[in-house]
Amino acid sequence: MPRVVANQKEKFESDELFRKLSRECEVRYTGFRDRSLEERQVRFRSACREGHSEIAFTATGSNLHLQFATNAWSESKTDRVPTKEFVDFEKEAGKVHLRSQFIFNGVCVIFRAWMDIERLDGIGCLEYDAERAQIEDTIMKQTIEQTQRRLREFEERQRIHREELERRAEAEAEARRQSHEPSPSGTSSSND
């Protein structure tokens, strides 16, 4: 099953949820709500440095478990190390700037936000990720093409198998018919 929808850009621009999330709005850290503010602050900073966090858009209630890494799709841990491009504590004092790429409801997006590291809230939005969308579209087309090819091969094997079964059935029917027919006997005519 494809990971993305057929026309990602159109869905991003027309879907009501995407329209809301594409506008800058309030975001909050949602991890460890049962802990003290001080512990949550430490855990938030630690998680960001490790390359992940739980953040919600408060206006819509959309909760996201984000990965902050150059290549979050990679299976290699070295590709998933957060860089300053994705987690930046130095850009503004008291804030962390975050960026994450992922597929949301079948559309490739980029989450961008800044978060106050004391209050654990900030401003964020989703942007359409045209570059990753093109990659995922190519993967989707290749997957569909491969699936269709496999389906054609399967149908061809099924057709050949049915034809072989029909030939066998016809051969067996012919063999039964021949075994039940009286054999031509050497009848001699009698002379009068």
Side-chain angles (χ1 to χ4, degrees):
M1 179 165 177
R3 300 181 332 163
V4 295
V5 296
N7 193 340
Q8 296 180 62
K9 186 171 178 77
E10 182 181 311
K11 181 172 182 178
F12 184 82
E13 292 171 348
S14 64
D15 185 274
E16 184 63 30
L17 179 60
F18 282 116
R19 283 203 303 265
K20 287 179 182 178
L21 298 179
S22 67
R23 289 182 233 130
E24 288 190 343
C25 57
E26 185 180 2
V27 291
R28 290 188 180 277
Y29 172 63
T30 58
F32 302 96
R33 292 183 201 168
D34 59 332
R35 306 295 170 91
S36 70
L37 178 61
E38 294 79 20
E39 184 177 348
R40 291 183 74 227
Q41 290 166 342
V42 170
R43 287 183 182 261
F44 173 68
R45 286 190 293 264
S46 175
C48 287
R49 285 187 178 95
E50 291 171 6
H52 60 88
S53 189
E54 298 82 21
I55 295 176
F57 286 92
T58 54
T60 62
S62 300
N63 291 289
L64 305 173
H65 182 82
L66 301 171
Q67 301 292 318
F68 309 117
T70 306
N71 190 354
W73 289 274
S74 175
E75 296 297 319
S76 171
K77 287 188 178 194
T78 57
D79 286 345
R80 292 181 281 152
V81 174
T83 62
K84 204 172 194 172
E85 176 186 3
F86 294 90
V87 178
D88 189 349
F89 283 96
E90 297 171 12
K91 190 171 186 175
E92 285 184 76
K95 295 180 180 178
V96 60
H97 287 259
L98 302 171
R99 180 174 181 264
S100 179
Q101 296 172 282
F102 57 99
I103 298 171
F104 183 69
N105 289 355
V107 178
C108 293
V109 295
I110 299 172
F111 169 84
R112 290 187 195 277
W114 62 264
M115 302 276 294
D116 184 294
I117 57 177
E118 298 299 320
R119 293 190 329 256
L120 302 179
D121 64 5
I123 300 295
C125 67
L126 291 183
E127 299 172 358
Y128 179 64
D129 188 349
E131 184 179 323
R132 187 67 199 181
Q134 188 173 10
I135 292 168
E136 287 296 327
D137 280 342
T138 301
I139 292 169
M140 179 181 65
K141 287 174 185 168
Q142 290 171 345
T143 302
I144 290 171
E145 185 179 299
Q146 185 179 37
T147 301
Q148 289 173 339
R149 182 179 45 79
R150 286 182 179 167
L151 182 60
R152 284 191 304 272
E153 289 171 357
F154 174 76
E155 289 171 345
E156 180 64 16
R157 285 193 306 269
Q158 291 290 49
R159 184 188 63 74
I160 292 169
H161 181 68
R162 278 193 307 275
E163 288 173 357
E164 180 62 30
L165 288 176
E166 288 172 7
R167 278 194 294 274
R168 282 189 206 157
E170 288 172 4
E172 289 172 4
E174 182 63 27
R176 279 194 301 273
R177 197 171 32 253
Q178 288 179 357
S179 68
H180 287 42
E181 284 182 4
S183 60
S185 55
T187 56
S188 58
S189 56
S190 57
N191 291 343
D192 293 327

